[in-house]
Amino acid sequence: MSPLRNAISAVGSKVKVLPEVARALETGRPVVALESTIVAHGMPYPQNIELAKEVSSILRERGVIPATIAVKDGIFRAGLEQDELENLAKAGEENRAIKCSSRDLPLMASNITTQQSSDETVQWGATTVAATMRLAHAANINTFVTGGTGGVHRGGELSLDISTDLIELSRTPVIVVSAGVKSILDVKRTLEVLETFGVPVGAWQSD
């Protein structure tokens, strides 16, 4: 079987889980998945790592174990060590991180390396909402917290520019807690698509 076919079959079935996260899952402690695109591409360093640390701190204060989802040198990861998170935060500006949606996971996995990378050569797949959901589910993490989700772009009824996030929300059983659909998108059409896909949507303290 070709490396690419092997990678495709591996998506959703082989995730390296950080020991702390694995222990929490085994003992029934709450675990929340976090995406990595916002760390690598969402804002410049060091603001991005400061935000990542703040979010992790908020979760831990509430007894929740954070698990940042990413792809490191072709290996799917659920949970990162602090030095890895720091490396990821620098990788975006150093062109060592690729934005990775669910469709990209097989290709990322086909680039797996068996050699130890130095901090300057580590290659990252920074996961979007869709890819984070897929890998979180594979790691048996059922809750995912993010900022804003993708949706239908303005003019999407003509361009068909619709985020894969909506497809993933309809087929992957993970609870996604977010600030809502990104405001630059067509929010009303996004809600219509979610309704068509049968995705339950709830709002808290919002009209």
Side-chain angles (χ1 to χ4, degrees), residues 1-10:
M1 185 177 289
S2 70
L4 182 57
R5 287 185 178 275
N6 279 328
I8 292 172
S9 65

Side-chain angles (χ1 to χ4, degrees), residues 90-140:
K90 296 177 180 178
E93 295 181 353
E94 296 174 358
N95 295 317
R96 294 186 291 106
I98 299 173
K99 187 176 181 181
C100 179
S101 188
S102 51
R103 71 170 187 174
D104 305 308
L105 293 176
L107 296 174
M108 294 298 296
S110 69
N111 291 325
I112 189 170
T113 177
T114 57
Q115 297 181 344
Q116 185 74 29
S117 299
S118 66
D119 288 348
E120 294 77 20
T121 61
V122 172
Q123 299 297 310
W124 291 95
T127 55
T128 63
V129 168
T132 300
M133 288 182 66
R134 182 76 66 86
L135 295 181
H137 176 59
N140 295 316

Side-chain angles (χ1 to χ4, degrees), residues 139-166:
N140 295 316
I141 300 171
N142 57 23
T143 304
F144 163 39
V145 173
T146 186
T149 67
V152 179
H153 284 250
R154 297 179 189 274
E157 71 277 13
L158 299 177
S159 67
L160 296 182
D161 191 353
I162 302 172
S163 171
T164 308
D165 295 353
L166 303 187

Side-chain angles (χ1 to χ4, degrees), residues 14-87:
K14 187 64 175 177
V15 181
K16 182 178 180 180
V17 182
L18 192 71
E20 179 190 27
V21 174
R23 287 193 298 270
L25 292 170
E26 290 170 1
T27 57
R29 293 186 62 191
V31 177
V32 162
L34 303 170
E35 67 165 286
S36 48
T37 291
I38 193 170
V39 179
H41 301 118
M43 55 186 65
Y45 183 87
Q47 291 96 320
N48 52 0
I49 188 64
E50 290 170 355
L51 175 64
K53 290 178 179 178
E54 182 180 1
V55 171
S56 294
S57 178
I58 291 171
L59 290 171
R60 290 184 184 280
E61 287 172 0
R62 288 158 175 76
V64 180
I65 301 300
T68 300
I69 306 296
V71 186
K72 181 183 180 184
D73 283 336
I75 299 174
F76 303 141
R77 299 291 301 276
L80 300 176
E81 298 286 3
Q82 189 57 49
D83 62 326
E84 292 178 312
L85 196 59
E86 185 87 25
N87 189 281

